Amino acid sequence: MIRFLTWLRDILLSVLNGIARTVVVVILLVLVLVAVGLAWGDGMPSNMVLALDLRDAIADSAAAPGSILSPRRVTVMDVVLGLDAAGRDKRVKGAVIRLGNGAISSAQAQEISTAIARFRGHGKFVIAQATAFFGAGLGDYLTATAADEIWMQPKSPFSVSGAGGGEIFLRGALEKINAEPQIAKRAEYKSAADMYMEKGMSAPDREQLTALMQSVYDDAATQMAKARHITRPEMVSALEASPQFTEDAVKARLIDHVGYDDEARTAAMQRAGAGAKIVRFSNYARENDAGFGTANIAIVEASGEITDGTARNGLLSGAAGIASDDLSRAIRQAAQDRNIKAIVLRVDSPGGSVTASDQILHAVKVAQKAGKPVVVSMGAVAASGGYYIATSADRIVAEPGTITGSIGVLTGKVSFNKTANLIGVNTETVAVGKNTLMDSPLLPYTPEQWALLNHQADVIYDDFTRKVAAGRKLPLDKVHELARGRVWSGTDAHARGLVDSLGGFWTAADAAAALAKVPASGMVFRVYPKPAGLLGRLSGAFGGLEASLGVFGRIESLLNLPVLQTVLQSVSSLPPSGPGGAIQLRATHLPQP
């Protein structure tokens, strides 16, 4: 027995020694790489053209870092900050941007277009190339019009037409399976749960979506016409001719050159001059992180659905969305940094938990009380809870195409006890306490519980509208007119006082600098939250591993199938049951024109 224990001890010590050696080797390797990096600089060529691929859906910002198995991808804010750094970098001569798959929303296009314009303002060139413009939406082409030249593959579809979308209604299907939806909303425009409660689009929902899409279309058509040096009627006429082909788009002056991706790249290299090399934008942006230097303006990124608690990121799994603990902590960290003079809160969110939203709003107010001005820069969507967390900001800036507002509440559930009976499944419950199982999907609300649920919705809605009135300095009666769960475009929200000015990140940054008395030319940014510790840095360094994990890419492709996405989104849009999770400030199923 003693011999066995001695053998076991030796084995354990050997394993521990092996682990220790591995850790030491990794640390030494990192130190060597850092030393080499400091000696050689960032390793970028002296004459380069950046290659930016915008054909896949792009998140606004990264509230949580990626993991080794799922590295953080380029975001809209990466493009904004990266192109700003590249504009001031003499080694960067220009950029080639590939797009056309219909992945960019109008608000994202407006933000990226501004970034491209700033980049070109430093004497750089931009060539946009599309295999085709597959989607009817406006975002991809709106982005392309900011470039010096637009290239498009021959005999390919140009489908850009306008703004539109559809909704699915499940009420009839729920009736067939004896499922009972009971969802309270405040108020008539709060349509996120209509897919469960209605059999078709309500008149208020059709009204708000029509107005939203018309506003987005008008702004985009005007901007595209100006960029292409044609009249607005000519632009509208050209869009009305879609779907069309490359050659038709050339005749309508929608694009400049007919050519393949390699031909556009060759043109860019010739324009950059001898010795030019192509550098992936993601690599350049990673080497030019905005977090270095003594920062005086904090950028706090809030992207995704708002949930309670913390994301609890692991090494092997990333987390998406806005976790209230994490974002509140990031705001506090920025407020407590003596060098930080103002905070730009970047919001791209359809909302979520009311308690989480209120926790984040409290952190914003604490930062303001500490003397740090807070300016909100809205991305593609800042609605419901996404608008809630912005209400006390010193300034709110939105793009013309930003979907904002949706000042309202929804709460409820769908009960499936009768559904189970259809297939011979019996459900029974036991509870101590009058309303213990109020949120259970196995029981419908009693009349008393339904009244209690509506009272909760009334209280939250009243609190929401009062916060908007106080933060926006609007009469409460006026807020009640603008609220009712209605979504607005950034243009319409600005006209009604829900946002202070139209523009993107740089408009918000300039406003923050002015409030903090920081010269516009002296702004230095630090992005919050930052990856913490050695593992966070190692995770970012493993971006190249993504290419070798083909099986994960195939799984992701399956999950992105339109039918499966529709089902998953339908399920996820239902207000979650459980303690503290029933009341939601959420605006889902919004169009992305």
Side-chain angles (χ1 to χ4, degrees):
M1 185 64 182
I2 294 175
R3 185 177 298 175
F4 172 76
L5 292 175
T6 302
W7 173 81
L8 183 60
R9 183 199 62 185
D10 292 340
I11 292 293
L12 290 174
L13 288 175
S14 177
V15 170
L16 291 174
N17 286 333
I19 294 174
R21 290 192 193 97
T22 302
V23 171
V24 170
V25 169
V26 169
I27 293 174
L28 290 175
L29 179 61
V30 170
L31 292 175
V32 169
L33 291 175
V34 169
V36 172
L38 291 173
W40 287 2
D42 58 14
M44 295 292 169
S46 59
N47 181 5
M48 60 181 141
V49 174
L50 301 182
L52 174 59
D53 195 332
L54 296 176
R55 289 175 295 175
D56 292 331
I58 182 171
D60 183 82
S61 56
S67 68
I68 287 180
L69 294 183
S70 180
R72 187 172 73 82
R73 297 179 178 178
V74 171
T75 65
V76 172
M77 286 302 297
D78 289 334
V79 174
V80 169
L81 297 175
L83 285 181
D84 178 67
R88 292 178 278 104
D89 190 338
K90 294 180 179 180
R91 301 171 301 173
V92 179
K93 302 302 187 295
V96 176
I97 301 177
R98 299 199 66 191
L99 34 64
N101 287 5
I104 306 172
S105 73
S106 293
Q108 289 177 328
Q110 287 159 348
E111 185 73 77
I112 295 172
S113 294
T114 300
I116 292 173
R118 288 173 61 91
F119 179 71
R120 290 179 59 193
H122 289 281
K124 319 291 183 174
F125 68 84
V126 176
I127 294 177
Q129 195 276 338
T131 300
F133 285 96
F134 291 107
L138 303 168
D140 281 53
Y141 182 67
L142 179 57
T143 303
T145 61
D148 296 87
E149 303 173 4
I150 303 177
W151 290 58
M152 189 174 164
Q153 191 167 302
K155 298 292 186 298
S156 295
F158 182 94
S159 302
V160 182
S161 178
E167 297 180 357
I168 295 177
F169 298 91
L170 304 177
R171 181 62 184 264
L174 293 176
E175 288 179 353
K176 290 182 181 297
I177 61 172
N178 290 338
E180 185 177 355
Q182 294 174 290
I183 301 174
K185 64 180 184 180
R186 300 293 181 274
E188 69 269 27
Y189 292 101
K190 194 72 174 179
S191 60
D194 281 4
M195 66 180 303
Y196 302 102
M197 298 297 295
E198 307 291 342
K199 293 184 178 179
M201 190 178 292
S202 67
D205 192 23
R206 184 174 295 278
E207 175 194 352
Q208 70 174 339
L209 292 180
T210 301
L212 172 66
M213 293 178 188
Q214 188 66 57
S215 176
V216 170
Y217 179 87
D218 290 342
D219 286 325
T222 299
Q223 183 177 337
M224 292 187 297
K226 182 179 180 180
R228 296 301 301 166
H229 305 292
I230 61 177
T231 66
R232 190 179 185 281
E234 286 175 326
M235 176 58 69
V236 171
S237 177
L239 296 179
E240 292 292 328
S242 292
Q244 52 196 304
F245 285 100
T246 306
E247 292 70 20
D248 304 311
V250 172
K251 293 178 182 178
R253 290 183 288 168
L254 295 175
I255 65 173
D256 300 293
H257 300 285
V258 179
Y260 293 88
D261 58 311
D262 61 325
E263 294 172 328
R265 183 175 300 180
T266 298
M269 299 296 280
Q270 291 174 346
R271 192 161 176 174
K277 295 183 179 180
I278 290 286
V279 173
R280 288 179 59 184
F281 178 84
S282 57
N283 292 338
Y284 179 85
R286 188 177 300 119
E287 294 296 336
N288 290 272
D289 193 319
F292 293 106
T294 302
N296 49 28
I297 305 291
I299 303 172
V300 179
E301 298 182 336
S303 179
E305 187 169 335
I306 302 172
T307 58
D308 292 277
T310 180
R312 296 188 177 89
N313 295 321
L315 181 62
L316 299 181
S317 61
I322 304 169
S324 60
D325 284 1
D326 299 339
L327 186 60
S328 298
R329 186 181 305 112
I331 295 171
R332 287 194 298 270
Q333 288 174 348
Q336 291 166 3
D337 189 331
R338 294 182 179 181
N339 294 317
I340 296 297
K341 306 303 180 185
I343 298 171
V344 177
L345 177 59
R346 178 71 177 189
V347 178
D348 184 79
S349 172
S353 163
V354 61
T355 50
S357 300
D358 200 48
Q359 180 185 355
I360 295 166
L361 177 61
H362 170 72
V364 171
K365 291 179 177 179
V366 170
Q368 290 173 299
K369 289 179 181 178
K372 305 296 172 75
V374 177
V375 177
V376 167
S377 170
M378 292 181 168
V381 181
S384 206
Y387 186 81
Y388 186 105
I389 66 176
T391 52
S392 78
D394 296 271
R395 298 284 189 279
I396 298 179
V397 179
E399 291 286 3
T402 298
I403 298 173
T404 188
S406 192
I407 302 166
V409 181
L410 64 89
T411 178
K413 67 179 182 181
V414 177
S415 54
F416 294 97
N417 59 309
K418 295 180 181 178
T419 303
N421 294 337
L422 287 177
I423 57 174
V425 175
N426 182 43
T427 62
E428 296 186 8
T429 59
V430 176
V432 177
K434 186 177 181 180
N435 292 316
T436 302
L437 297 180
M438 180 173 170
D439 294 321
S440 171
L442 300 180
L443 296 170
Y445 294 122
T446 66
E448 184 180 0
Q449 289 172 339
W450 179 246
L452 177 60
L453 189 79
N454 276 275
H455 172 68
Q456 291 176 328
D458 288 334
V459 169
I460 296 299
Y461 183 62
D462 179 69
D463 184 58
F464 194 171
T465 53
R466 289 182 183 278
K467 283 184 167 68
V468 174
R472 297 287 84 221
K473 297 179 174 57
L474 293 171
L476 188 58
D477 290 344
K478 179 68 173 177
V479 173
H480 283 153
E481 292 177 14
L482 302 175
R484 297 148 67 193
R486 178 162 182 167
V487 294
W488 305 92
S489 69
T491 297
D492 291 341
H494 176 243
R496 290 160 176 79
L498 293 178
V499 304
D500 296 296
S501 55
L502 295 177
F505 167 77
W506 292 110
T507 303
D510 288 341
L515 288 169
K517 296 181 173 55
V518 173
S521 60
M523 288 189 290
V524 180
F525 302 109
R526 182 179 181 188
V527 180
Y528 293 81
K530 299 287 288 181
L534 176 62
L535 292 182
R537 291 298 180 186
L538 288 177
S539 177
F542 275 85
L545 184 61
E546 183 181 31
S548 65
L549 297 175
V551 64
F552 291 98
R554 289 191 288 273
I555 293 173
E556 183 178 19
S557 297
L558 291 174
L559 292 176
N560 285 330
L561 288 174
V563 173
L564 186 54
Q565 282 294 305
T566 298
V567 174
L568 292 174
Q569 290 171 7
S570 299
V571 173
S572 67
S573 67
L574 183 65
S577 61
I583 302 178
Q584 295 284 298
L585 305 176
R586 185 164 17 178
T588 54
H589 300 288
L590 296 174
Q592 293 292 316

